Amino acid sequence: MTETAVCGSSDSSPEEEKLKIRDISMDAEAHTKEGDTFYLITQRWWQDWLEYVNQNHANITNGGASSERSDSVSLSNLKRPPAIDNYDLINEATPEDSAVGMELRDTLVEGTDYILLPQDVWNQLYAWYGGGPTLARKVINSGISQTELAVEVYPLRLQLHLMPKGDNSIIRISKKETIGELHRRACEIFYLTSEQVWIWDYYGHRKHALMNNDMDKTLDDANIQMDQDILVEVVDSSNCGSISVQENGSADKEAYVLVEPSKSNFSIAGGLSASKGMSRNCNAESSQFQNITSPGKESDNTYGVSGVTTRGSSGGLTGLVNLGNTCFMNSAIQCLVHTPEFARYFREDYHKEINWQNPLGMVGELAMAFGDLLRKLWAPGRTPVAPRPFKTKLARFAPQFSGYNQHDSQELLAFLLDGLHEDLNRVKHKPYIKSRDADGRPDEEVADEYWANHIARNDSIIVDVCQGQYKSTLVCPVCNKISVTFDPFMYLSLPLQSTSTRTMTVTVFTCDGSALPSVCTVTVPKQGRCRDLIQAISNSCFSNSCCLKHNEKILLAEIRDHLIHRFLEDPLISLSSIKDDDHLAAYKIPKFVKNAKFLQLIHRQKEQETNKEYGTPLVWPVSCDEAITRGDIQSMVQTVLSPMLRTENMGHPDISDTNTSAPLLDSSQTKSSSEGCRDSNKADSVHRDGGKSKSATVPKLQLQLVDENNACIDLSVGEDKPVKLSSSSMSVFIYWSEQVLEKYDMHYLENLPEVFKYGPVTKKARTEPLSLYTCLEAFLREEPLVPEDMWYCPQCKEQRQASKKLDLWRLPEVLVIHLKRFSYSRSMKHKLETFVNFPIHDFDLTNYVAHKKNPRHQFYELYALINHYGGMGSGHYTAHIKLLDENRWYNFDDNHISPINEEEVKSAAAYVLFYRRMRTDDASVGNGARSSAGHNISSQK
């Protein structure tokens, strides 16, 4: 179970804390073994702690002052971190009574969202700081040799289906637990005896393998995957029959006859052989027991004519072990392995095409290493494969990828495609061919000549599948000489619009009751600070009706679980500490309040028998130098809430008719930064006009003040009694009854939009900041050459800064598109986080192909992509791949494979896209001209 403790204490100095944690970590690392416990801790808190304990070192490095905080905060004054707060790692949607307990968010990335701490390190930090919740995970053996240690951050989440009753339950269980343990827990959950229960691999809601026969096998060895369905079937022990539910809902007993292998080569009515040797991963020789359906029962066979199937027998769902920062390699390999043309080619006898003498190749060793790895990944079974032999070959021929540092997956992909091409080049002796300029000849003639010359020297499966041709036009700016060439390409590298800025959505609240809450979307520097966000909000408010008065300022706060998680008062707080899924509120407060403290107005609503936080808290600044009574606080609260007060003649405000601030709905409905805050002046005037008439009917609110000693003061009585203000902020709880809620329009406070949310992609251009088509158009746009890449004009006989225009001419069967997310400066490397809306189906390139005499429609479909998450130093690569036989998408995260919905494929992490040509009725020859050996690779639909 999780736990949360109050903040602990430590008498140690920051340096002493650092040394103690370092010593504990080194000792734990040296003795880590299977079964040890590690703990997740949020990266945000860990980074704060590192800055705290390293402040003395930073002071020495920076000459006693921090460049980050030099203008206001000295590093020597860094505050001790608060209690550990792991709640940003938790899925808030998890029901409190869930059988699986507190669930982690599904998309967490180690090094970006969390880090893993050994148990002794966690215990020490927990003793010092307290907090929580505690998120413990076990160390397991992984890899093909089962000798590599890994922390199982995400144990298997399995869906249990009880038949015939129809109950369902979700459990979490380690993949290293046995089928017997799964069987025991299923019986425990549904209150059954072990003799009553059969458990089935129920992938895709079809029976695949009876798991009772292999109770000692681990779930990992049985190839059970994340979010898989498991059928828990209650068996009638009197006649060993099973009760199954038919499509019409009626129950039908169906006897299963268990036949010994020596007596029969089949089983009856979809039953399985009792042989222990039979498993879902059996080979052709051992799978002698075919499932035959009794003719009399054919109409009742819910699972089809073939009875029990062996899912996954065709392979393709085998993961790759991370050997140490090799996720960049694993993701690229999986995309190539799942390219159907390559899968077919390397599973056949490709050795006859290896070019052993090519001086540009790797003597066939790279091709053979890749072919062996591909065959292992497509073999039946899904035990993860450790790609050590392949990495050894890779390091030998490409030293830049040696060692265990993180590398660019696209750079590796480019090397692999080029290296495999040279190893498999069918041309043993390359002829020398001199290319001629176009000189006014028709483009079709010149293009075919260039392509024929290319094929005469380069002819391989890689050329057949991945290579296309583009037209390059250079124009001399002096003599207007036009040079046209047609060059091959293996992939397209498309530029992205620079994202040095970031869009952030904030909800603005007034403290004087002068306006309704309004959503404000602004653009700020991506590496900016809170002062930049405050300035952007102020500018936006000045240009809109919800204007910021000369005597007002903005107070930012992060809202979490209907409470103020923190005030962002320090103008130097980095905006990178604010995540896209955070919720921000901006309170317009008076500038000049001496010795100001903040009253936090927190809403509570009764649910069942308890009061729970509700809505968005509000803020009211008060001066500690002035006396304040309970009645004053009552008036303050009424003033702040007055814009939401309904009047008898108004009813519910009609947002569309009055053009008032819109309800705080999904952030995808917010306007762009150019539109700023939403107009709320008409609503304000309506409220102000009706203020006097409705003042007599203002409902009495139940208020409770919590002072610094956690004492509760009822503010509804003794209005003249003074209130002693504490030195810190104080909380006032507003208890909402159903009767009082009816008098206020509280939807303005109910749902804060996220800082940034992509939301579902629609066809409206304004919700698609950048499309793949836009990137392609930027790639094909005419532009001058950079000064470092001047062109030698054959007519001027001088180097010229010519203009260059690219056009697509011949497209390949498989089109690889690289999104240029990484930009380089003299001393730094940046990642662009731009969300690119790329089509999954019907990627239409017809109008982008300059070869207009080819009537072929150019439609492509996405089947794989490489993702990159996180920053440059601690990023992580995964792959999304569609198994075409199943028509289903999977996430390949090293050795962890899980099914995903098609809607999850698109994200801002997309880095390299793999498209396959879609066959159409008017399809013509491959990519225009066959290679010299006559090889023409076709793709399946």
Side-chain angles (χ1 to χ4, degrees), residues 7 17 45 48-50 52-53 78-84 129:
C7 185
E17 285 193 15
W45 188 93
D48 288 343
W49 182 79
L50 288 179
Y52 168 67
V53 298
L78 275 177
K79 293 181 181 179
R80 188 169 182 267
I84 297 169
Y129 293 92

Side-chain angles (χ1 to χ4, degrees), residues 82 221 325 330 534 671 780 894:
D221 291 337
N325 283 328
N330 293 348
I534 292 171
K671 296 186 179 181
L780 300 176
D894 290 329

